[in-house]
Amino acid sequence: AQTVTQSQPEMSVQEAETVTLSCTYDTSENNYYLFWYKQPPSRQMILVIRQEAYKQQNATENRFSVNFQKAAKSFSLKISDSQLGDTAMYFCAFRGLVSGNTPLVFGKGTRLSVIA
Amino acid sequence: EPEVTQTPSHQVTQMGQEVILRCVPISNHLYFYWYRQILGQKVEFLVSFYNNEISEKSEIFDDQFSVERPDGSNFTLKIRSTKLEDSAMYFCASSGKRGAPYNEQFFGPGTRLTVL
């Protein structure tokens, strides 16, 4: 079974600074997807960024980028120019490609606080 | 932009009572899911549904739980006899629009269930 580990329960960053959230996972599959979800106080789950395992190029979405190290099974999220609105829980998630509706496996999350 | 909706946003019930949580997935999506998040913990998969039947379920999804797609638009989660430990945020998600990349799962805003 796949597992996702986020080793940082809480982090804080000054506004406009850069922060990196860590995620490691364990799987025997070769092709899969990785995701970062943001959960603000409203509790809505919002997709931040995704990465396909067969793509070597790291995904980037505006201020959000990932460092995907497939051999190390590591998938960290970098937030540049942090904004107060980035304050939220961040969940790393894994999805295999066994079938079209393989469920997501989530890590325990990292609570990020952006400080003015 | 289409979105997944869930009702109610908050449900309070007495232990032993039945509850039905409702979701309207994104139109023309093919796969439907329920996840739950106990306060302060990670998001956990409950069940996935495709072609009018359960395609996968977790250990959490025992005989007290059932899912249904009664009318082609709603997707419901029923808990027959609620327990205190069922108190959680329940998220519905859908995916599988034909031709969409990643088979991204779109989450609803969640229903907070409180069992007293």
Side-chain angles (χ1 to χ4, degrees):
Chain A
Q2 291 85 7
T3 58
V4 177
T5 302
Q6 293 179 250
S7 58
Q8 305 152 314
E10 294 187 25
M11 292 193 72
S12 61
V13 62
Q14 292 286 334
E15 196 175 7
E17 297 295 307
T18 295
V19 64
T20 299
L21 309 183
S22 301
C23 172
T24 58
Y25 58 93
D26 188 27
T27 183
S28 58
E29 297 182 37
N30 190 46
N31 289 321
Y32 46 86
Y33 295 132
L34 294 163
F35 306 86
W36 279 97
Y37 281 88
K38 172 184 177 181
Q39 188 182 43
S42 65
R43 305 296 296 276
Q44 175 93 44
M45 295 289 285
I46 303 166
L47 179 64
V48 174
I49 198 166
R50 56 185 165 237
Q51 175 80 43
E52 294 155 300
Y54 63 85
K55 286 188 176 179
Q56 292 185 334
Q57 186 173 7
N58 289 325
T60 298
E61 289 286 343
N62 301 314
R63 297 183 295 108
F64 299 88
S65 61
V66 299
N67 183 6
F68 173 50
Q69 301 290 327
K70 190 173 183 180
K73 295 181 181 174
S74 170
F75 182 61
S76 60
L77 174 70
K78 185 171 81 170
I79 306 174
S80 304
D81 186 26
S82 298
Q83 300 175 359
L84 295 178
D86 295 333
T87 294
M89 280 291 285
Y90 286 82
F91 292 97
C92 179
F94 171 100
R95 189 172 80 79
L97 292 177
V98 176
S99 67
N101 60 338
T102 306
L104 291 162
V105 177
F106 288 87
K108 290 187 175 181
T110 295
R111 183 178 303 280
L112 176 68
S113 299
V114 180
I115 303 166
Chain B
E1 186 173 335
E3 58 184 20
V4 177
T5 59
Q6 291 185 242
T7 54
S9 57
H10 190 191
Q11 173 95 42
V12 181
T13 188
Q14 294 290 327
M15 187 170 57
Q17 296 297 303
E18 174 184 286
V19 294
I20 297 176
L21 309 183
R22 291 183 167 79
C23 167
V24 178
I26 293 173
S27 174
N28 77 4
H29 274 189
L30 302 174
Y31 306 108
F32 315 110
Y33 314 80
W34 284 101
Y35 293 84
R36 81 171 186 190
Q37 183 185 28
I38 295 172
L39 186 64
Q41 299 187 23
K42 66 179 178 180
V43 178
E44 300 172 292
F45 167 72
L46 290 178
V47 65
S48 58
F49 193 85
Y50 170 70
N51 201 26
N52 286 319
E53 61 183 23
I54 291 173
S55 50
E56 190 170 345
K57 61 183 180 180
S58 71
E59 297 172 347
I60 304 168
F61 194 87
D62 60 22
D63 292 343
Q64 292 298 314
F65 292 89
S66 63
V67 289
E68 195 176 39
R69 190 160 160 79
D71 56 13
S73 63
N74 289 284
F75 178 51
T76 62
L77 174 69
K78 181 192 292 186
I79 309 174
R80 289 189 183 81
S81 178
T82 51
K83 303 186 286 285
L84 295 176
E85 53 264 38
D86 293 327
S87 294
M89 195 77 164
Y90 288 81
F91 291 101
C92 173
S94 70
S95 71
K97 177 181 177 181
R98 290 189 190 281
Y102 310 108
N103 231 14
E104 178 182 343
Q105 294 182 23
F106 292 82
F107 283 79
T111 292
R112 182 184 301 277
L113 176 65
T114 302
V115 182
L116 303 176

